[in-house]
Amino acid sequence: MYKRISIILFTILLLSGSNALAQRGKKHSKSTFDYEMRAGVNFCQIDGDGSGNYDKLGWHGSVNTSFPIGLDDALRFQVEIGLTQKGSHVNQIDRYISLLYLEVPLLLSYNTMENRLRIMAGVAPAILASSRVTTDGAYDKLQSENYKRMDVLPLCLGVRYIFTEHVGIDLRYYNSMLNTAKENGTGTYRIFRSNKGQFNRLLQFGITLKF
């Protein structure tokens, strides 16, 4: 059900962008969609699980499109869909937490330096596709089932720089604002004290292909 909702949301946003561009007509004849593919490595941790370093490696891959929402092409709305691996390594008990999400970042972006540099900010709601936790090398069923179906409100900040006509690099920072665990023995909190538990935090570094 959640995957269907994400696909429907993605389609609606694309159609809305097409309609907005059509309405601008001749005044913005240069306004177009752009398309990109991204892939790379994640440096992950979970705030509230007893660890404190970005020492769990993951990966990500996605496609995105953006369309102008201002008077020129600089200010844009970017919609993305992809897979990303979050998690952490709790050194004290040798626990590896691996969480695979289907995510849909919704970002406000600004292009500068002749469209080579893009600065972006927004949210990246994500649906949990799979979770696997091992403790001392053994599969931990109880902990593996302790993560919520959705990471509803991760904030996302990023920059992307295109070196050639089609190839560039990007860097992003993600930080979940709502608790992602079902039950929490200790944990930390975000925004307000009742919002207590575990929160994904990660740095992404990747390669971008622009079409």
Side-chain angles (χ1 to χ4, degrees), residues 154-174:
L155 297 185
C156 176
L157 302 174
V159 293
R160 183 268 282 153
Y161 185 80
I162 297 293
F163 288 101
T164 69
E165 185 178 357
H166 299 291
V167 181
I169 61 172
D170 64 8
L171 176 66
R172 290 189 186 179
Y173 169 78
Y174 291 81

Side-chain angles (χ1 to χ4, degrees), residues 97-156:
I97 303 170
S98 182
L99 308 172
L100 181 65
Y101 287 91
L102 171 68
E103 68 172 7
V104 185
L106 307 172
L107 306 170
L108 188 66
S109 65
Y110 183 79
N111 288 348
T112 185
M113 297 175 61
E114 297 181 346
N115 293 331
R116 290 186 176 274
L117 179 66
R118 173 173 290 183
I119 303 167
M120 62 200 82
V123 295
I127 302 166
L128 184 63
S130 67
S131 60
R132 178 177 175 81
V133 179
T134 61
T135 304
D136 290 328
Y139 175 68
D140 192 327
K141 185 176 186 295
L142 182 64
Q143 290 297 322
S144 296
E145 296 175 350
N146 192 40
Y147 290 91
K148 294 180 179 179
R149 185 62 174 167
M150 293 192 69
D151 187 356
V152 179
L153 193 63
L155 297 185
C156 176

Side-chain angles (χ1 to χ4, degrees), residues 148-211:
K148 294 180 179 179
R149 185 62 174 167
M150 293 192 69
D151 187 356
V152 179
L153 193 63
L155 297 185
C156 176
L157 302 174
V159 293
R160 183 268 282 153
Y161 185 80
I162 297 293
F163 288 101
T164 69
E165 185 178 357
H166 299 291
V167 181
I169 61 172
D170 64 8
L171 176 66
R172 290 189 186 179
Y173 169 78
Y174 291 81
N175 197 333
S176 298
M177 292 293 103
L178 298 179
N179 170 35
T180 61
K182 296 176 182 177
E183 297 182 7
N184 309 281
T186 55
T188 184
Y189 71 91
R190 291 275 195 277
I191 308 174
F192 44 88
R193 290 188 179 275
S194 60
N195 180 32
K196 182 180 179 182
Q198 297 183 21
F199 305 85
N200 290 307
R201 185 145 56 104
L202 66 148
L203 295 171
Q204 277 188 355
F205 178 79
I207 301 296
T208 297
L209 297 179
K210 182 178 179 181
F211 300 95

